[in-house]
Amino acid sequence: MMYKYARRIPIYNQTSFALCSARTSRTEIVHFERTEKMINKLLILTIAVLHVHAVVELRDLHEEHGPVAYEFHYAVHDPHTGDIKSQKEARKDDRVEGVYELIDPDGHHRVVHYKADDHSGFEAVVSREPTNIKIPVPEVHHKLIATKLLTPTLLHH
């Protein structure tokens, strides 16, 4: 039955809760339901792919590479600049131990013994002792004097 003036009466389809009108045909409703189901499937697939990607990323961050161990040391003694320092460090698994020494600008000998592990965190013991070492102070050859720069005033016409 056709109405001369089609009235748009909002009704809800019981299966998809889609807003329809009295003029909506059954084929349009079925097409809408299929489209809605396809969108839902794509949404679920997208969420699943993102979830798998996130799990893979988290696993990559925490990969086990076996036991970790290293040891290194270095020393610098430059009498011209007064740069005198050394460091020695060793690591076995999650425990790091080391010591570094240097001559401070005021001539004191600073020694830092440190260790770090998962149980205690980072711990350092610092000691300073005076020495007879004099750190050379760099000479300034040219003194810089701040001066005020005068700029010519602009003439306005």
Side-chain angles (χ1 to χ4, degrees), residues 15-126:
T15 57
S16 67
F17 301 104
L19 182 60
C20 304
S21 71
R23 293 178 59 190
T24 306
S25 68
R26 180 71 188 143
T27 18
E28 288 174 329
I29 292 173
V30 169
H31 178 70
F32 180 78
E33 287 174 352
R34 286 182 185 161
T35 305
E36 185 179 35
K37 286 179 184 178
M38 183 59 76
I39 290 172
N40 288 340
K41 287 178 184 177
L42 287 174
L43 182 64
I44 291 170
L45 180 65
T46 303
I47 292 170
V49 168
L50 290 175
H51 177 72
V52 168
H53 181 70
V55 170
V56 169
E57 287 292 322
L58 288 176
R59 287 187 183 153
D60 288 344
L61 293 176
H62 301 291
E63 283 185 13
E64 292 293 325
H65 296 290
V68 177
Y70 67 81
E71 188 173 325
F72 76 88
H73 65 275
Y74 73 90
V76 175
H77 186 90
D78 186 355
H80 178 71
T81 61
D83 191 13
I84 303 170
K85 60 187 171 192
S86 66
Q87 182 178 4
K88 181 177 181 181
E89 183 175 288
R91 177 179 178 177
K92 182 161 173 45
D93 296 327
D94 288 331
R95 183 168 177 81
V96 177
E97 291 187 26
V99 61
Y100 67 89
E101 302 179 37
L102 62 107
I103 303 297
D104 285 330
D106 63 359
H108 283 75
H109 180 225
R110 184 183 349 165
V111 180
V112 179
H113 293 272
Y114 61 91
K115 62 183 176 178
D117 59 26
D118 286 340
H119 178 68
S120 303
F122 180 80
E123 297 176 355
V125 177
V126 181

